[in-house]
């Protein structure tokens, strides 16, 4: 379908910006980029009960924020009054940006808490900045999941899924692979939203090339941006083969649990998500691949008042809600 009309109406705000890289790096263009991304009239996300926990990890404490339905506590109540399912969630940001207050982290968690009556555990993993590289962010994520798994009874959790967006989806899948191999355990489900699974994404399909050709340059992730993010995370050139725990498309995916892969229609990384879905299917994994129409990369940062975002959140929530008898 065409670019979502709400996004299309904002395209003139990017006039004069030659590329997304320039818009993000040039202070004179930054205000235009911020105006394009800003939705000042968006309603606030749903209320939720939250608490911070510091989880021990191999590189030091890992902060996590635990979200439960408003009025319910993550501890101190009998399990039948608390959410039985949990999702450990990792925000995106090219491995270099983002935190627990990023909309993709906080808004998403609050929406899913309400829609699924689930516990959401958002992980503030170390970013690949100031000399930090793989596997440090992944080590943090694995430590956080292990902590949740070890405290399921206290948290009132009976099943545990793992997910993330963009670079966070990479970390979610990689953590599932590590846990499969090291702990002989896999999450009940994986939720991977516009994932980055290859150091160099595969060539786009004909339909993706057509979609991308409709975008102005200021809205496109360039190969150089993707290479830069991958190389910074890996600490090596993207020409060097990446281990499967760093780029899950290079791993043996056998034995992973049911997986939802959600791609944005207008997104260079859609090629990575589509190819990764095919790799999962070839390994016998129960995978559902969904293309969110009219959306750009990063759509979970947008208000749920946009119908495709609302639909995407509902689709994730449906996988977290307990199934009826």
């Amino acid at each position: 379908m065409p670019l979502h009309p709400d996004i299309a109406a904002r395209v003139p705000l990017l006039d004069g910006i030659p590329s997304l890289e320039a818009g993000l790096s040039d202070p004179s263009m930054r205000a235009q980029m911020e105006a394009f991304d800003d939705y000042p009239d968006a309603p606030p996300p749903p209320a939720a009960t939250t608490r911070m926990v510091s989880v021990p990890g191999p590189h030091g404490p890992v902060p996590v924020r635990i979200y439960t339905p408003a009025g319910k506590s993550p501890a101190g109540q009998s399990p039948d009054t608390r959410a039985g399912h949990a999702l450990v969630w990792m925000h995106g940001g090219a491995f270099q940006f983002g935190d627990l207050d990023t909309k993709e982290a906080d808004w998403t968690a609050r929406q899913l808490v309400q829609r699924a009556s689930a516990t959401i555990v958002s992980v503030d993993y170390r970013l690949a900045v100031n000399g930090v590289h793989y596997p440090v962010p992944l080590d943090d994520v694995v430590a956080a999941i292990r902590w949740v798994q070890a405290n399921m009874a206290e948290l009132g959790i009976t099943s545990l899924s793992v997910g993330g967006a963009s670079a966070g989806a990479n970390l979610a899948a990689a953590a599932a692979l590590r846990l499969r191999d090291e702990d002989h355990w896999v999450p009940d489900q994986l939720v991977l939203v516009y994932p980055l699974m290859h150091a160099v994404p595969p060539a786009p399909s004909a339909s993706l090339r057509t979609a991308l050709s409709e975008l102005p340059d200021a809205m496109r992730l360039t190969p150089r941006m993707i290479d830069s993010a991958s190389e910074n995370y890996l600490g090596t050139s993207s020409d060097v083969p990446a281990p499967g725990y760093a780029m899950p498309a290079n791993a043996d995916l056998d034995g992973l649990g049911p997986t939802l892969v959600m791609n944005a229609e207008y997104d260079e990384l859609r090629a990575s998500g589509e190819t990764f879905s095919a790799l999962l299917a070839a390994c016998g994994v129960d995978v559902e691949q969904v293309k969110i129409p009219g959306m750009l990369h990063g759509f979970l940062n947008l208000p749920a008042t946009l119908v495709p975002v609302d639909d995407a959140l509902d689709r994730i929530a449906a996988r977290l809600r307990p199934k009826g008898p």
Side-chain angles (χ1 to χ4, degrees):
M1 67 171 287
L3 192 64
H4 189 278
D6 193 85
I7 297 174
R10 292 167 167 263
V11 170
L13 294 171
L14 301 177
D15 285 350
I17 299 179
S19 68
L20 181 57
E21 291 170 288
L24 293 174
S25 61
D26 188 330
S28 67
M29 300 176 185
R30 186 67 189 180
Q32 288 176 257
M33 297 294 297
E34 291 175 352
F36 179 81
D37 292 332
D38 189 29
Y39 283 75
D41 298 326
T49 299
T50 67
R51 69 167 173 138
M52 292 295 301
V53 173
S54 183
V55 172
H59 309 287
V62 182
V64 303
R65 182 182 291 159
I66 302 174
Y67 296 76
T68 53
K72 294 185 180 181
S73 170
Q77 295 178 323
S78 60
D80 62 344
T81 66
R82 288 175 279 156
H85 196 89
L87 173 69
V88 179
W89 179 256
M90 276 62 70
H91 65 80
F95 303 104
Q96 302 170 72
F97 310 104
D99 55 33
L100 296 182
D101 294 322
T102 301
K103 292 175 181 177
E104 193 174 68
D106 186 63
W107 282 17
T108 300
R110 291 176 184 275
Q111 289 286 352
L112 293 177
V113 163
Q114 182 197 56
R115 293 167 189 247
S117 293
T119 296
I120 310 298
V121 181
S122 187
V123 182
D124 195 16
Y125 57 87
R126 285 169 176 78
L127 301 176
V129 296
N130 300 322
V132 172
H133 303 290
Y134 166 83
V136 172
L138 177 58
D139 288 344
D140 283 354
V141 170
V142 170
I145 297 170
R146 283 177 171 151
W147 180 87
V148 175
Q149 187 189 23
N151 290 276
M152 288 176 67
E154 177 193 350
L155 296 168
I157 295 167
T158 56
S159 60
L160 179 57
S161 296
V162 173
S166 194
N170 172 301
L171 294 169
L177 292 167
R178 280 262 307 266
L179 293 163
R180 178 199 64 184
D181 296 343
E182 296 174 8
D183 297 6
H184 308 291
W185 174 88
V186 294
D188 292 305
Q189 298 185 81
L190 283 174
V191 177
L192 310 175
V193 185
Y194 37 84
L196 170 61
M197 297 303 189
H198 300 76
V200 179
S205 64
S207 66
L208 178 54
R209 286 197 303 271
T210 299
L212 295 175
S213 70
E214 300 172 13
L215 297 180
D217 290 341
M219 297 168 69
R220 295 194 57 174
L221 293 171
T222 66
R224 188 170 72 175
M225 292 179 71
I226 298 170
D227 280 351
S228 175
S230 297
E231 291 180 350
N232 177 71
Y233 175 53
L234 297 170
T236 62
S237 166
S238 58
D239 294 333
V240 178
Y245 294 149
M247 291 293 160
N250 296 341
D252 173 8
L253 305 176
D254 184 61
L256 294 181
T259 301
L260 171 64
V261 179
M262 194 171 284
N263 298 308
E265 182 177 11
Y266 292 83
D267 180 5
E268 281 80 0
L269 291 188
R270 187 178 124 198
S272 186
E274 289 174 341
T275 302
F276 189 72
S277 297
L279 293 171
L280 287 168
C283 289
V285 175
D286 177 6
V287 58
E288 177 187 10
Q289 181 184 192
V290 180
K291 181 175 68 179
I292 304 303
M295 287 287 106
L296 301 169
H297 187 80
F299 62 75
L300 287 180
N301 290 296
L302 302 180
T305 49
L306 276 66
V307 171
V309 179
D310 183 60
D311 289 346
L313 290 164
D314 271 348
R315 191 178 288 269
I316 298 171
R319 296 183 74 102
L320 302 181
R321 286 191 291 266
K323 304 296 186 289

